[in-house]
Amino acid sequence: MITIEKLIKKKQKNKKFSKKEIYFFVNGYISGNITDEKMTELLKEICKSGMVEKETINLTDAMLNSGDKIDLSQFGCCLDKHSSGGVSDSTTLIIAPIVASLNAKMVKMSGGSLGFTGGTKDKFQCFGACLELPFDKITDIVNKVGAVIVCQTDNLVPADKKIYALRDKTDTVASIPLIASSIVSKKLASGAKIIVLDVKYGKGAFMQDLVEAKKLASLMVKILKKHKVLACAVVSDMNQPLGNNIGSYMEAKEVVEILKSNKDCRLLSLSKTISSILISKKENISLDLAYRKVEEVLFNGKALEKLKEMVLAQGGNLKLFTDEKLNYLSVNSDEGGYVDEIDTQKLGELTHSLCLNVGCKGISVLCKVGDKLSLGDEMVRIYAPKKYSIEYADKILKCFKFSKSKTNPLPLIYDIID
Ligand code: URA
């Protein structure tokens, strides 16, 4: 007879689980037959000893089969993208309108923020958009507008909801098989047939080792392809915030500014790359041609118009952001030199805590790694009531390390796994 105690011992000895054993602990935990304590012990052993590919495939299946699978076939081949979680990553709010302007369909299911990383749901809500929509309304919007951003339904991979919540509390997130099965099961259940995964690597990501990040990316692509999904993964940098703003409100504001100005920046550049891969797969055209199409809808304003349409269809309004003057406190450099390192996770955590507790709208980070600054140069703007901004300014400044010798800007994309 399989028991959770036997499974814990088995992983301690670095042995492989059978499909039956994996279904046993996934279903046992959802039904409440396995306690949080025992499941935590098992997760810790999995984090230590790992799982081979076959076990990860079975774990993904067990999670996928724990709940609803959404059928999007009525829309043809739907597109989707997923980020493994980063700071100032609002790519979804740029990619969805781009691909929808190019006649693709995207039903983006979004969870809330995870730890120090922001969630698309929270950012889209800043436009006043409603994300809790019944399926007939979703269908209506996809048919009219092309893209919709909604909350994950309660019964979408319930096993992941329960296991992830436990992993988050018990420091058992950073494990390749656990992350791969968590992300891929949700993507498969969400029904898209063309998916680009954005695997973040660096100080503001779960994957802090590049080799491991590439392994995670390859494994996820492989499992998705096994399920007949056209999949690709981009391994991108998270050693500094992707955009210039952190915090849902300021990130939503930045998205509008980027779509209006088309000003070159890392956030736009990564969004263009991911959109181009999606479009090239959907239309079966070269990446170069897809890239030109993406640039066209950015330059002719169609992508911005599409974001307006999406927000309006979900009951919100982009006007919320026009001409708004926000008060801020400037944080200035207390030394001169090159920006050498940014503790991105800490910066994300500090902003998260400011936004959660004291009505802060977010922060703007005005420098990137490799920039040369002089003593007194403005580095960060904090959009919060003054007394809190002052309290946080010093902690924020400590997230930046300087070097007297020249440091190079960071790459944006380390690998594309197709
Ligand atoms: N994002 C997820 O959805 N799951 C993980 O395990 C990690 C990041």
Side-chain angles (χ1 to χ4, degrees):
M1 197 181 72
I2 307 173
T3 64
I4 185 70
E5 289 78 12
K6 281 188 195 161
L7 295 185
I8 294 166
K9 286 214 178 89
K10 194 168 180 180
K11 238 336 130 195
Q12 270 165 356
K13 290 185 195 146
N14 211 353
K15 295 229 167 93
K16 295 181 197 105
F17 290 144
S18 68
K19 184 169 181 168
K20 208 166 153 195
E21 287 170 330
I22 288 175
Y23 270 79
F24 171 86
F25 75 73
V26 170
N27 292 335
Y29 185 57
I30 320 176
S31 64
N33 289 337
I34 295 174
T35 62
D36 282 357
E37 289 70 28
K38 289 288 168 203
M39 192 63 183
T40 306
E41 274 184 60
L42 183 73
L43 291 169
K44 287 201 186 287
E45 292 309 328
I46 295 175
C47 284
K48 257 190 248 155
S49 305
M51 276 181 154
V52 297
E53 192 178 302
K54 186 92 203 301
E55 289 174 291
T56 312
I57 291 172
N58 287 332
L59 180 57
T60 307
D61 282 352
M63 308 252 277
L64 172 65
N65 291 327
S66 71
D68 297 341
K69 288 171 208 156
I70 294 169
D71 182 0
L72 299 176
S73 54
Q74 60 172 309
F75 306 119
C77 220
C78 266
L79 314 185
D80 200 359
K81 57 83 57 181
H82 186 89
S83 155
S84 63
V87 176
S88 185
D89 177 3
S90 343
T91 47
T92 299
L93 295 184
I94 301 178
I95 294 166
I98 290 178
V99 297
S101 312
L102 290 164
N103 301 318
K105 306 280 189 216
M106 183 181 262
V107 178
K108 179 77 187 115
M109 306 249 166
S110 168
S113 61
L114 291 172
F116 57 90
T117 68
T120 302
K121 172 174 168 256
D122 309 291
K123 296 169 206 176
F124 202 51
Q125 271 170 343
C126 292
F127 295 119
C130 169
L131 284 87
E132 313 262 358
L133 300 174
F135 201 71
D136 59 340
K137 180 80 180 158
I138 295 177
T139 307
D140 201 37
I141 297 175
V142 177
N143 284 329
K144 281 196 197 123
V145 183
V148 65
I149 299 176
V150 286
C151 289
Q152 272 165 21
T153 57
D154 283 345
N155 206 33
L156 191 98
V157 197
D160 181 61
K161 283 202 178 74
K162 197 164 174 195
I163 296 174
Y164 193 89
L166 186 67
R167 287 169 59 211
D168 205 21
K169 277 193 296 195
T170 56
D171 198 21
T172 48
V173 174
S175 144
I176 290 182
L178 295 180
I179 297 178
S181 54
S182 161
I183 292 179
V184 176
S185 59
K186 280 182 296 218
K187 291 293 102 183
L188 290 170
S190 305
K193 295 293 172 217
I194 300 175
I195 300 176
V196 175
L197 301 168
D198 179 11
V199 177
K200 303 285 185 197
Y201 143 72
K203 291 187 191 73
F206 295 123
M207 304 310 296
Q208 309 223 340
D209 179 285
L210 185 54
V211 176
E212 296 290 293
K214 287 185 187 182
K215 263 195 218 160
L216 171 66
S218 307
L219 179 61
M220 291 197 290
V221 168
K222 201 163 176 185
I223 305 175
L224 283 168
K225 284 185 176 169
K226 245 180 102 39
H227 285 264
K228 308 250 175 312
V229 170
L230 287 179
C232 175
V234 172
V235 180
S236 70
D237 183 71
M238 194 32 71
N239 283 300
Q240 63 186 353
L242 178 60
N244 295 330
N245 289 352
I246 312 177
S248 298
Y249 183 91
M250 290 306 294
E251 288 183 48
K253 193 168 159 60
E254 185 173 10
V255 163
V256 178
E257 281 159 12
I258 286 179
L259 287 176
K260 272 186 183 161
S261 69
N262 271 303
K263 210 169 135 220
D264 189 30
C265 61
R266 288 165 73 90
L267 174 55
L268 180 59
S269 181
L270 183 60
S271 305
K272 285 202 258 187
T273 301
I274 295 175
S275 304
S276 309
I277 299 172
L278 287 167
I279 293 296
S280 82
K281 290 202 180 293
K282 177 184 166 273
E283 297 188 5
N284 200 13
I285 55 176
S286 71
L287 202 53
D288 274 357
L289 181 55
Y291 195 84
R292 286 203 292 278
K293 287 184 176 227
V294 164
E295 291 219 298
E296 196 181 325
V297 294
L298 282 164
F299 286 124
N300 65 19
K302 282 196 177 158
L304 175 63
E305 278 311 306
K306 189 55 79 178
L307 179 66
K308 277 187 198 160
E309 267 180 68
M310 286 170 59
V311 168
L312 213 59
Q314 294 188 230
N317 198 333
L318 282 199
K319 286 207 184 92
L320 287 173
F321 288 88
T322 356
D323 293 335
E324 190 194 24
K325 288 263 176 300
L326 295 172
N327 291 326
Y328 60 84
L329 179 92
S330 295
V331 180
N332 301 317
S333 164
D334 59 356
E335 59 183 303
Y338 293 87
V339 179
D340 192 31
E341 264 185 47
I342 301 179
D343 188 340
T344 311
Q345 175 169 346
K346 187 84 198 152
L347 210 49
E349 282 165 356
L350 287 170
T351 312
H352 198 64
S353 128
L354 257 169
C355 291
L356 231 99
N357 300 322
V358 299
C360 165
K361 293 209 183 289
I363 68 171
S364 295
V365 181
L366 309 177
C367 57
K368 294 273 177 217
V369 170
D371 286 355
K372 187 171 184 215
L373 298 186
S374 305
L375 175 73
D377 277 354
E378 190 182 28
M379 295 172 65
V380 175
R381 291 178 178 174
I382 308 177
Y383 298 88
K386 201 164 179 179
K387 85 174 203 213
Y388 300 109
S389 301
I390 292 171
E391 186 191 322
Y392 274 74
D394 207 37
K395 295 181 199 160
I396 286 179
L397 192 59
K398 287 204 174 82
C399 293
F400 295 81
K401 274 204 195 125
F402 286 88
S403 155
K404 290 291 168 209
S405 49
K406 191 168 169 9
T407 49
N408 290 322
L410 293 166
L412 177 61
I413 293 175
Y414 294 93
D415 207 352
I416 294 184
I417 295 155
D418 211 345

